[in-house]
Amino acid sequence: MSLDGRNVLILTTNYGTEQDELTKPAAALRDVGAQVTVAAQKDEAVQTLVSDREPGALVQPDTTLAKATANGFAAVVVPGGTVNADRLRTDGDARRLVSAFAEAGKPVAAICHGPWLLVESGLAGSRRLTSYPSLRSDLENAGATWLDQEVVVDTSGRHPLITSRRPGDLDAFAAAIVDALDSGQRA
């Protein structure tokens, strides 16, 4: 399988993103030939965290949320990290971006606390998904059906929605994103 020529956008704030939830999906996508663009709130290094507490790797973004568009991208990925996700859901540019991907019928993927952005963007209602368990009530209150599974792929709506619970589910999460892009490429 090759995703050569497919571009994927990852949304993040500049502080608090769970390190592996940003770096592992990016690496998995690059391993199969996809281009990955990281968009952050500011054009400065992203300070990731490990387990929401310890400093992780610094990641240099490629663009800002304000400059990014869904045009030219095949999918969007929203990593978690409690601080990152809480700040990202209140960012108008992040909400605009995930909504644009959804409107265009492109896959939207979110892990851990990342689905908070789906709630704030109106993308969770009537969908099956998962998240970090503490978000269950928020997602159900938004009209979603929450499932305790390592990855949930919901294709019932206008766009594929891929969600996972936590860093331990990253292999399944990344594989589901790759599969969605590969299926879309063949369609």
Side-chain angles (χ1 to χ4, degrees), residues 11-143:
L11 309 182
T12 184
T13 59
N14 291 88
Y15 179 82
T17 304
E18 185 66 30
Q19 173 185 277
D20 287 350
E21 293 174 9
L22 172 61
T23 60
K24 286 192 175 185
L29 287 159
R30 288 180 179 126
D31 284 348
V32 293
Q35 299 287 3
V36 175
T37 300
V38 176
Q41 288 178 312
K42 296 183 251 178
D43 188 19
E44 52 191 58
V46 173
Q47 175 62 68
T48 67
L49 295 178
V50 176
S51 300
D52 277 336
R53 291 182 290 281
E54 301 299 322
L58 290 174
V59 175
Q60 191 59 45
D62 303 293
T63 189
T64 63
L65 296 174
K67 292 177 185 173
T69 69
N71 297 334
F73 291 97
V76 64
V77 177
V78 182
T82 309
V83 174
N84 171 66
D86 192 47
R87 290 178 179 172
L88 207 56
R89 71 180 173 158
T90 63
D91 187 289
D93 288 314
R95 292 192 308 269
R96 169 186 58 80
L97 286 164
V98 295
S99 295
F101 277 88
E103 276 296 310
K106 298 175 182 180
V108 174
I111 187 168
C112 201
H113 288 77
W116 265 337
L117 182 57
L118 305 177
V119 171
E120 295 299 324
S121 302
L123 301 179
S126 301
R127 300 300 294 266
R128 293 172 48 253
L129 49 76
T130 193
S131 67
Y132 195 76
S134 65
L135 275 64
R136 179 180 183 165
S137 294
D138 295 334
L139 293 164
E140 290 177 340
N141 288 338

